[in-house]
Amino acid sequence: MHDLIHDLARSISGDEYFRIKSVDSWNIAAKVRRASIWQCNEHSRIFESFHESERLRTFLLPPRYETLTKQVAHDFFLKLRCLRVLDLSHICVRDLPDSIGESKYLRYLDLSFTTIATLPESIGSLYNLQTLKLCYCKQLAELPKSTSNLINLRHLALEGCKISTPPELGKLITLQTLTIFVVGKESGCGIRELKNLTKLRGTIHISNLENVIDENECKEANLKKKEYLDKLTLEWGNNNPRGVAVDEEVLEALEPHSNLKTLKILSYGGVSFPRWMMSGNLKNLNTVSLIQCLNCQQLPPLGQLPFLKKLKINGMDGLKHIEGEFIGGSNKVIKGFPSLEELELVNMPNLEEWCGAREGDMPCLGTLKISNCPKLQRFPHLPSINNLEIGDCNERRWYWPLDFFNP
């Protein structure tokens, strides 16, 4: 906002807006509605100084208060029952009092980058809450069970958290943002909870897929109908005791909508990729990452994807040969990977050969990274490359095409 517009807005708001600039400016009007604190050395006074401001609706603290008191006073929420917006991100608050449940009008709560360890069950009483941000709250292990009562919640941001999903999250049918969903074994924590969350958009990371009982659960999740999702990450745990066939059935049932732009698959235990990756239906994909899919023996025909720009394959022990199907599929007319700009082949200890590329394939490929592929001896002529990164490979054994690089 331009300074002139900011000053005009402040002059119009009068006593309804309050901004603390220094320790000497604690004369807070009782009818203030919006408060932001920008400079204060007496941190202990921040919360108690607003006890008379019963009309306060917006309370903002900037990130500079890392050393602020670790507790919010119990009566802070009892006094300020009209709060709509509360931003306590980037401070060292460890917990919230149960009295937060009295802020019935609260619509926006940001606790991101705090040291908070638990949230009170009274959170479930905030029926008007629309946004709950808990990004990078690394000490927070779980959400309260009452989270499923937040019937008007639209955005639940959990990036950077190692957190279990509360039961019956599927009740929150207004959710648009759900960045992380951890599949649990307990009742109401299964992947079928995603069934009625038809408004999901943006990014979702579904982890602990080893806890899925069978593919029918995944079909109920109905990812194929979630047309507003742009980025999907599917992750299995490292200690997956189940058979290869079960993982293949699960991934087959997790087919996303064709609008998807970014797909990442982590620690998948199957030998082959699902049919929906073979068909070329996901034509809007621009980024694909296949990480630690150790058992996979063949790559899907990703070369058919017209808008794919970035492809990363890391940790595929079962792959020995990259063949023509990967680049062009069965289509001999359309060139493979027409938009691909960056390609990484990393940690492929048994990869011996990459062949099958035709003249004109990968016309936009500028960056190729090959690392820890000790058995790789041959790969195709790729004249568009201007950035080649090679590491932990036995390059002396390689067959180099005579005109591999641009003249």
Side-chain angles (χ1 to χ4, degrees):
M1 182 184 296
H2 192 279
D3 289 344
L4 292 176
I5 302 298
H6 179 265
D7 292 342
L8 176 61
R10 286 187 58 191
S11 64
I12 294 175
S13 63
D15 290 340
E16 292 186 1
Y17 174 80
F18 187 82
R19 182 179 183 182
I20 295 177
K21 292 183 178 180
S22 67
V23 71
D24 300 323
S25 57
W26 286 103
N27 186 20
I28 303 173
K31 61 181 181 180
V32 63
R33 294 194 179 188
R34 298 165 187 85
S36 60
I37 303 173
W38 292 93
Q39 187 175 0
C40 169
N41 295 321
E42 296 186 21
H43 296 165
S44 61
R45 296 185 58 188
I46 289 180
F47 293 116
E48 66 182 39
S49 298
F50 288 89
H51 284 178
E52 303 301 323
S53 306
E54 297 182 355
R55 298 184 183 183
L56 189 67
R57 295 187 178 185
T58 301
F59 187 78
L60 305 177
L61 286 174
R64 68 188 66 180
Y65 288 100
E66 298 90 349
T67 60
L68 188 64
T69 179
K70 298 175 182 178
Q71 291 185 333
V72 180
H74 175 77
D75 57 353
F76 177 75
F77 297 105
L78 296 178
K79 297 285 186 179
L80 308 178
R81 296 175 183 266
C82 294
L83 270 180
R84 264 71 164 177
V85 175
L86 178 61
D87 187 347
L88 300 178
S89 60
H90 294 86
I91 66 174
C92 292
V93 60
R94 288 187 177 178
D95 53 42
L96 292 177
D98 290 336
S99 59
I100 190 174
E102 300 298 324
S103 299
K104 304 295 185 182
Y105 299 103
L106 195 63
R107 298 178 182 177
Y108 180 96
L109 176 60
D110 190 354
L111 299 170
S112 299
F113 295 93
T114 64
T115 57
I116 196 159
T118 59
L119 291 174
E121 287 291 336
S122 60
I123 285 283
S125 300
L126 304 177
Y127 301 117
N128 290 301
L129 193 65
Q130 297 179 2
T131 299
L132 177 58
K133 300 182 71 174
L134 299 165
C135 302
Y136 294 93
C137 294
K138 296 184 178 181
Q139 298 185 34
L140 185 64
E142 60 181 5
L143 295 176
K145 294 181 180 180
S146 62
T147 303
S148 61
N149 296 333
L150 302 176
I151 55 176
N152 288 304
L153 195 65
R154 298 180 184 179
H155 308 286
L156 180 56
L158 301 169
E159 297 99 322
C161 294
K162 296 181 179 179
I163 194 170
S164 59
T165 302
E168 299 184 328
L169 201 66
K171 292 181 179 180
L172 308 182
I173 58 175
T174 60
L175 266 184
Q176 298 177 16
T177 302
L178 178 62
T179 52
I180 295 176
F181 185 89
V182 182
V183 180
K185 297 180 180 180
E186 300 80 9
S187 176
C189 296
I191 195 171
R192 59 166 51 96
E193 292 296 315
L194 297 175
K195 176 181 179 180
N196 295 321
L197 304 185
T198 57
K199 298 180 180 180
L200 287 180
R201 62 189 64 223
T203 299
I204 186 169
H205 182 153
I206 305 175
S207 63
N208 289 18
L209 283 167
E210 70 276 8
N211 291 331
V212 174
I213 298 175
D214 56 44
E215 72 274 16
N216 292 324
E217 275 194 286
C218 297
K219 291 179 180 178
E220 288 188 50
N222 208 7
L223 295 184
K224 192 174 182 179
K225 296 296 183 179
K226 294 175 174 39
E227 59 183 308
Y228 305 112
L229 283 179
D230 295 324
K231 182 177 181 179
L232 173 64
T233 298
L234 302 173
E235 182 177 9
W236 282 257
N238 292 327
N239 298 319
N240 186 358
R242 303 185 312 176
V244 169
V246 178
D247 281 2
E248 291 179 350
E249 292 172 355
V250 167
L251 186 55
E252 185 68 53
L254 289 173
E255 180 179 0
H257 193 275
S258 59
N259 288 343
L260 194 71
K261 294 181 174 60
T262 299
L263 174 65
K264 181 181 290 186
I265 299 177
L266 302 173
S267 302
Y268 167 59
V271 172
S272 60
F273 287 99
R275 286 173 292 182
W276 51 265
M277 290 186 70
M278 304 291 182
S279 63
N281 289 336
L282 301 179
K283 295 186 181 299
N284 291 299
L285 281 176
N286 56 46
T287 303
V288 173
S289 299
L290 307 176
I291 313 295
Q292 294 297 311
C293 302
L294 301 179
N295 299 325
C296 290
Q297 300 175 2
Q298 185 177 4
L299 292 172
L302 300 176
Q304 300 180 26
L305 302 176
F307 304 115
L308 186 63
K309 293 184 178 182
K310 296 182 180 181
L311 174 58
K312 181 176 182 178
I313 304 172
N314 187 334
M316 198 171 290
D317 294 6
L319 186 67
K320 294 183 179 180
H321 303 279
I322 299 177
E323 301 175 344
E325 286 295 314
F326 164 66
I327 297 179
S330 58
N331 195 321
K332 304 300 182 182
V333 179
I334 300 177
K335 299 302 180 182
F337 293 106
S339 302
L340 190 65
E341 298 175 357
E342 299 179 21
L343 173 61
E344 290 188 23
L345 302 175
V346 181
N347 297 324
M348 318 252 284
N350 297 307
L351 180 62
E352 300 174 359
E353 186 179 36
W354 175 12
C355 61
R358 303 158 299 182
E359 184 178 355
D361 286 338
M362 302 186 180
C364 300
L365 186 63
T367 298
L368 174 62
K369 180 180 179 180
I370 302 176
S371 178
N372 195 20
C373 300
K375 295 183 180 181
L376 182 61
Q377 299 184 47
R378 180 186 294 267
F379 52 88
H381 175 212
L382 302 170
S384 62
I385 292 177
N386 52 46
N387 182 20
L388 177 63
E389 301 179 26
I390 300 173
D392 299 321
C393 296
N394 191 353
E395 299 94 323
R396 295 181 180 180
R397 301 174 53 193
W398 286 11
Y399 165 77
W400 294 85
L402 294 178
D403 54 351
F404 180 83
F405 297 102
N406 286 325

